[in-house]
């Protein structure tokens, strides 16, 4: 008889007091404990334990959000369906007969676990110290205490696996995952998304504790056991693997081979790694964009998208080596298999162009066609006659926020976020303009957010400078921070909301200050004089003018009153997201240097409210 069946035979008084669903939930958590303790020493034991831990985390987060962990289930949820799913899950985790017959697992039944049961960490995450977390410890303790009460009436039966067939275990994990997903499906869609992002943040924090590629392989294998296909968590794991190679340009072949193997496992197929590129096989090159640091090139007869990253070797040999390593790290980041939420192109390889003192990053062109037109930037669309719907603009905004959120979770910073660096690739010259399938480019200055990582000074470019935080343009600039990316994001969201380029707002603000200094009124100037003044203001792009623009965007007392206008155009919630990006609340976190606090604030203040915007 299964442990689950015996638990259900407990006195009715217990069921009536604590609730059937709550008791089943406690049985599930105890079942996860039994499962984790059932694995014996073996090469893949860590994979199995990690996979079980992932499923338990998902269930605990659901229980926390639904209220059931405190025996206070949200009355809006279907209690009978929840009870049914939890009962099936509990049986799946504790029925040794089911494990033998349905999943062909070699189960050996032993004595009941001692009372009190061993601490959770000592049993389920043995040899996996990077999985130890106190985030859900309260919820786990409550449910294990309840399971102990039921165990006094009818103890769970302890068991162990003498051997495990990987394919059968994978089927079991997927069935467990599906039952948990059935519980998630009873929640509102936006609540499901919130839980998934919270779980992703926790796993990102966990990844920073991993210090070797072997542990990352455990995570990748666990994801392969529990999930089908590509998921953002795999991307975060791969990007952490890239950061663990401190000197990829000069590291030994063993480490590089180990990283390639890890990427193959993540793809569950042969990973298309970086390939050697040869300048003599390059054909026509076309430069694009305001800075001239991107374009297209024909390589081996195929059109590729390219970006250039400048370098300066005037520094010391050590600084040169670190910069080379940073260049290769960036290429590996852009080459790693990524979930679509990252919205990046796939890097093929890099070419050193020493005469121009720059590296070329080559990417696959994301669409296929006979006559491929040049990509359109978001800035191009905003300054054209194209008028997308508010629905499409909100969807685009959500995609850009999710992409930057994911990039920050992987502990990388963009450093040059703007509407010039959001591209759309038409399939043909006659393709209608659309906001579908945006790609974020412009990674020339990007780097990991770790101490000592080489940070290239930003080149002055008026078209891009108007998107940069004014602190980045000061002579005594102390270094980039993720909050500066959020400021740039806020300006892009401002453009999307008003559907006009931020340059117009900058010039309007700077023009007022310039005319005040000259003691002249705008109506006194001819059209040509106004054009000349605007060109001069943009060409100089003074840091003080950028600071003044920032203040004007937040000030509800001036004539333009941007906060009120934003609310009129896109609603209060979207407006608050934009103002949060442009304000100083994220900059105030700089002294704390706590990435988890920053990411949680990003989630609660930016990602979550914008995801709730629906038309």
């Amino acid at each position: 008889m299964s442990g689950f069946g015996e638990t259900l035979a407990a006195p009715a008084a217990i069921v009536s007091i604590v609730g059937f669903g709550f008791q089943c939930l406690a049985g599930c958590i105890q079942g996860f404990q039994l499962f984790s303790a059932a694995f014996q020493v073996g090469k893949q034991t860590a994979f199995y334990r990690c996979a079980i831990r992932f499923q338990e985390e998902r269930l605990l987060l659901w229980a926390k959000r639904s209220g059931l962990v405190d025996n206070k289930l949200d009355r809006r949820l279907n209690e009978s369906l929840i009870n049914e799913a939890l009962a099936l899950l509990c049986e799946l985790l504790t029925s040794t007969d089911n494990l033998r017959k349905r999943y062909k697992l070699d189960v050996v039944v032993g004595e009941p676990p001692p009372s009190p049961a061993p601490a959770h960490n000592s049993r389920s995450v043995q040899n996996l110290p990077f999985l130890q977390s106190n985030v859900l410890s309260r919820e786990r303790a409550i449910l294990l205490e309840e399971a102990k009460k039921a165990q006094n009436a009818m103890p769970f039966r302890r068991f162990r696996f003498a051997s495990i067939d990987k394919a059968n275990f994978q089927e079991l994990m997927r069935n467990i995952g599906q039952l948990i997903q059935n519980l998630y499906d009873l929640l509102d869609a936006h609540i499901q998304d919130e839980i998934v992002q919270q779980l992703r943040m926790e796993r990102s924090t966990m990844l920073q504790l991993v210090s070797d590629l072997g542990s990352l392989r455990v995570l990748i294998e666990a994801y392969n056991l529990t999930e089908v296909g590509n998921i953002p968590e795999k991307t975060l794991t791969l990007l952490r693997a890239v950061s663990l190679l401190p000197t990829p340009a000069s590291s030994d072949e063993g480490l590089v081979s180990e990283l390639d193997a890890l990427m193959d496992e993540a793809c569950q197929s042969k990973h298309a790694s970086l390939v050697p590129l040869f300048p003599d096989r390059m054909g026509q090159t076309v430069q694009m964009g305001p800075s001239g640091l991107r374009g297209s090139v024909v390589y081996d007869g195929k059109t590729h998208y390219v970006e250039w990253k400048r370098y300066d070797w005037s520094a010391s040999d050590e600084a040169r080596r670190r910069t080379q390593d940073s260049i290769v790290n960036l290429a590996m980041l852009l080459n790693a298999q990524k979930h679509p939420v990252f919205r990046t192109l796939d890097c093929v390889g890099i070419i050193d162009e020493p005469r121009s003192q720059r590296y070329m990053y080559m990417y696959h062109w994301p669409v296929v066609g006979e006559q491929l037109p040049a990509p359109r930037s978001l800035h191009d669309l905003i300054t054209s006659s194209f008028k997308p719907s508010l629905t499409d603009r909100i969807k685009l905004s959500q995609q850009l926020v999710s992409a930057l959120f994911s990039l920050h979770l992987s502990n990388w910073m963009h450093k040059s976020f703007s509407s010039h660096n959001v591209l759309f690739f038409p399939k043909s010259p006659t393709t209608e303009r659309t906001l579908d399938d945006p790609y974020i480019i412009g990674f020339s200055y990007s780097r990991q957010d770790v101490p000592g990582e080489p940070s290239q000074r930003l080149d002055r470019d008026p078209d891009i400078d108007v998107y940069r935080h004014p602190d980045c343009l000061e002579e005594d600039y102390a270094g980039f921070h993720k909050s500066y990316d959020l400021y740039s994001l806020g300006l892009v969201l401002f453009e999307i909301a008003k559907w006009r380029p931020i340059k117009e707002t900058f010039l309007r603000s700077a023009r007022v200050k310039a005319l005040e200094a000259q003691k002249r009124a705008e109506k006194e100037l001819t059209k040509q004089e106004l054009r000349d003044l605007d060109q001069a203001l943009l060409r100089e792009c003074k840091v003080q003018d950028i600071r003044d623009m920032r203040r004007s965007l937040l000030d509800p007392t001036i004539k333009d009153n941007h906060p009120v206008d934003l609310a009129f155009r896109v609603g209060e919630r979207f407006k608050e997201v934009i103002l949060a990006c442009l304000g100083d609340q994220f900059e105030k976190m700089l002294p704390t240097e706590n990435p988890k606090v920053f990411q949680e604030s990003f989630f609660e203040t930016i990602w979550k409210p914008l995801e709730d915007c629906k038309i």
Side-chain angles (χ1 to χ4, degrees):
M1 184 176 182
S2 74
F4 170 72
E6 294 167 331
T7 300
L8 294 188
I14 295 179
V15 177
S16 62
I17 294 173
V18 301
F20 180 76
F22 181 67
Q23 189 184 9
C24 287
L25 176 62
C28 290
I29 300 304
Q30 181 65 54
F32 280 119
Q33 303 291 291
L34 296 174
F35 236 87
S36 292
F39 298 109
Q40 303 301 300
V41 177
K43 182 179 179 181
Q44 296 185 328
T45 293
F47 305 159
Y48 298 140
R49 283 181 175 162
C50 190
I52 284 291
R53 174 62 177 249
F54 285 166
Q55 298 291 16
E56 185 203 37
E57 282 183 340
R58 290 182 65 215
L59 180 61
L60 284 171
L61 278 172
W62 172 87
K64 182 178 180 180
R65 193 58 187 265
S66 68
L68 189 57
V69 75
D70 294 311
N71 199 21
K72 297 177 182 178
L73 183 66
D74 189 328
R75 294 183 180 275
R76 294 171 295 180
L77 300 177
N78 190 318
E79 186 174 2
S80 61
L81 290 179
I82 288 173
N83 290 346
E84 180 182 351
L86 288 172
L88 289 172
L89 179 59
C90 189
E91 183 172 19
L92 201 57
L93 290 166
T94 59
S95 172
T96 53
D97 289 342
N98 200 23
L99 294 175
R100 287 194 192 99
K101 294 176 181 178
R102 182 175 178 181
Y103 299 101
K104 306 297 187 295
L105 299 177
D106 190 357
V107 180
V108 178
V109 178
E111 296 298 321
S115 183
H120 174 80
N121 285 342
S122 66
R123 300 180 61 194
S124 65
V125 292
Q126 183 181 357
N127 302 324
L128 301 174
F130 56 88
L131 281 180
Q132 297 184 26
S133 170
N134 295 323
V135 174
L136 296 169
S137 58
R138 184 191 76 87
E139 290 76 12
R140 187 179 290 112
I142 290 173
L143 295 169
L144 288 178
E145 183 63 29
E146 178 57 35
K148 190 189 301 183
K149 294 177 184 177
Q151 186 175 310
N152 291 333
M154 189 66 70
F156 288 95
R157 302 174 67 189
R158 191 174 186 180
F159 58 88
R160 62 182 175 85
F161 296 119
S163 63
I164 298 177
D165 178 80
K166 184 176 179 179
N168 290 334
F169 183 82
Q170 188 170 30
E171 181 187 357
L172 172 63
M173 285 297 96
R174 288 176 178 171
N175 289 340
I176 289 173
Q178 185 56 58
L179 285 172
I180 296 175
Q181 185 58 46
N182 291 346
L183 295 170
Y184 273 72
D185 289 342
L186 297 174
L187 301 173
D188 290 341
H190 73 279
I191 295 179
Q192 293 184 47
D193 290 340
E194 288 176 22
I195 297 175
V196 169
Q197 290 294 352
Q198 288 171 336
L199 186 59
R200 199 161 290 153
M201 283 192 293
E202 289 302 326
R203 292 184 181 173
S204 172
T205 302
M206 171 195 72
L207 280 173
Q208 303 311 311
L209 303 176
V210 180
S211 58
D212 63 279
L213 295 181
S215 294
L216 293 176
R217 178 172 284 108
V218 170
L219 295 176
I220 290 293
E221 287 284 2
Y223 289 134
N224 288 341
L225 286 169
T226 56
E227 304 282 354
V228 179
N230 186 14
I231 57 173
E233 286 84 343
K234 284 187 183 179
T235 300
L236 295 177
T237 305
L238 288 177
L239 300 188
R240 175 59 178 159
V242 170
S243 70
L244 284 179
L245 290 181
T247 55
S250 56
S251 61
D252 62 70
E253 293 184 2
L255 278 176
V256 176
S257 298
E258 193 172 355
L259 180 61
D260 285 341
L262 186 65
M263 290 186 174
D264 290 345
E265 289 163 9
C267 301
Q268 295 185 284
S269 62
K270 183 62 179 174
H271 168 66
S273 57
L274 292 169
V275 298
L277 299 177
F278 305 97
D280 59 346
R281 290 160 68 173
M282 290 171 49
Q284 182 183 14
T285 300
V286 178
Q287 291 188 328
M288 308 173 187
S291 64
L293 290 177
R294 66 172 187 254
S296 66
V297 65
V298 176
Y299 187 87
D300 281 348
K302 294 183 179 180
T303 301
H304 292 74
Y305 179 79
V306 294
E307 289 184 328
W308 286 275
K309 182 180 178 71
R310 296 193 185 102
Y311 59 79
D312 181 6
W313 294 146
S314 60
S316 65
D317 289 343
E318 174 64 18
R320 175 173 179 166
R321 183 187 63 79
R322 290 178 63 83
T323 301
Q324 287 176 326
D325 292 341
S326 177
I327 288 169
V328 177
N329 258 333
L330 177 60
M332 294 172 70
L333 163 79
L334 297 169
N335 171 256
Q337 182 199 35
K338 289 179 288 297
H339 189 272
V341 72
F342 282 77
R343 310 305 313 175
T344 57
L345 299 170
D346 296 325
C347 183
V348 179
I350 54 178
I351 295 178
D352 186 10
E353 298 181 349
R355 289 186 178 180
S356 302
Q357 288 192 305
R358 64 186 189 181
Y359 276 89
M360 173 194 284
Y361 291 77
M362 186 181 296
Y363 304 84
H364 286 296
W365 201 272
V367 296
V368 179
E370 292 296 327
Q371 294 180 315
L372 294 173
R376 301 162 179 156
S377 72
L378 176 58
H379 186 270
D380 293 337
L381 294 177
I382 290 174
T383 54
S384 72
S385 60
F386 178 50
K387 301 295 181 186
S389 68
L390 179 57
T391 301
D392 288 344
R393 285 184 283 143
I394 288 177
K395 178 183 175 183
L396 172 64
S397 300
Q398 291 168 337
Q399 289 176 315
L400 297 181
V401 166
S402 292
L404 188 60
F405 181 80
S406 299
L407 185 69
H408 282 183
L409 271 184
S410 64
N411 214 34
W412 279 76
M413 301 179 293
H414 188 279
K415 294 186 63 178
S416 194
F417 200 86
S418 75
S419 57
H420 292 286
N421 286 333
V422 178
L423 294 189
F424 303 87
F425 289 80
K427 294 182 179 179
S428 73
T430 59
T431 300
E432 293 185 359
R433 291 173 292 187
T434 175
L435 297 182
D436 294 338
D437 296 323
Y439 288 90
I440 297 174
I441 53 100
F443 287 90
S444 300
Y445 298 99
S446 300
R447 67 173 178 85
Q448 297 180 66
D449 186 17
V450 295
E453 184 72 8
S455 183
Q456 184 179 356
R457 189 168 184 84
L458 302 173
D459 294 327
R460 292 301 302 268
D461 180 346
D463 287 308
I464 303 299
D465 286 349
V466 293
Y467 294 90
R468 287 176 174 148
H469 192 285
D471 288 354
C472 300
L473 304 174
E474 295 284 8
E475 288 298 322
D476 58 350
Y477 164 56
F480 202 84
H481 185 265
K482 289 174 182 174
S483 64
Y484 299 158
D485 268 345
L486 282 189
Y487 173 79
S488 300
L489 171 66
L491 293 179
V492 174
L493 296 180
F494 181 92
E495 289 184 310
I496 294 172
K498 292 206 172 192
W499 204 245
R500 63 179 57 172
I502 196 64
K503 181 170 66 176
E504 289 184 6
T505 306
F506 167 78
L507 289 174
R508 186 175 177 86
S509 171
R511 191 188 307 136
V512 169
K513 299 293 182 182
L515 291 175
E516 284 179 356
Q518 298 174 16
K519 297 182 179 180
R520 300 180 68 184
E522 185 173 324
K523 61 183 179 182
E524 297 175 7
L525 275 65
T526 66
K527 290 184 178 180
Q528 185 59 47
E529 287 176 325
L530 278 174
R531 281 194 292 268
D532 292 342
L533 176 60
D534 285 350
Q535 289 176 1
L537 291 170
L538 185 61
R539 186 169 53 251
E540 293 181 48
C541 200
K542 296 178 180 178
V543 176
Q544 187 57 50
D545 285 341
I546 294 176
R547 292 193 186 279
D548 291 338
M549 178 191 72
R550 183 188 189 187
R551 279 193 289 269
S552 73
L553 294 176
L554 299 168
D555 190 352
T557 65
I558 64 174
K559 180 180 178 181
D560 288 337
N561 199 338
H562 295 295
V564 168
D565 188 54
L566 285 171
F568 167 73
R569 294 174 183 273
V570 293
E572 284 289 336
R573 187 167 292 173
F574 198 159
K575 177 205 75 174
E576 291 300 329
V577 167
I578 295 173
L579 297 185
C581 290
L582 299 178
D584 62 357
Q585 73 174 83
F586 291 99
E587 294 164 47
K588 291 178 179 177
M589 298 179 189
L590 281 170
T592 66
E593 293 295 334
N594 189 331
K596 183 177 180 181
V597 172
F598 178 90
Q599 207 66 34
E600 287 175 348
S601 184
F602 188 165
F603 173 73
E604 292 291 341
T605 311
I606 309 299
W607 186 93
K608 188 175 173 181
L610 192 58
E611 281 296 310
D612 289 341
C613 289
K614 307 294 180 184
I615 299 296

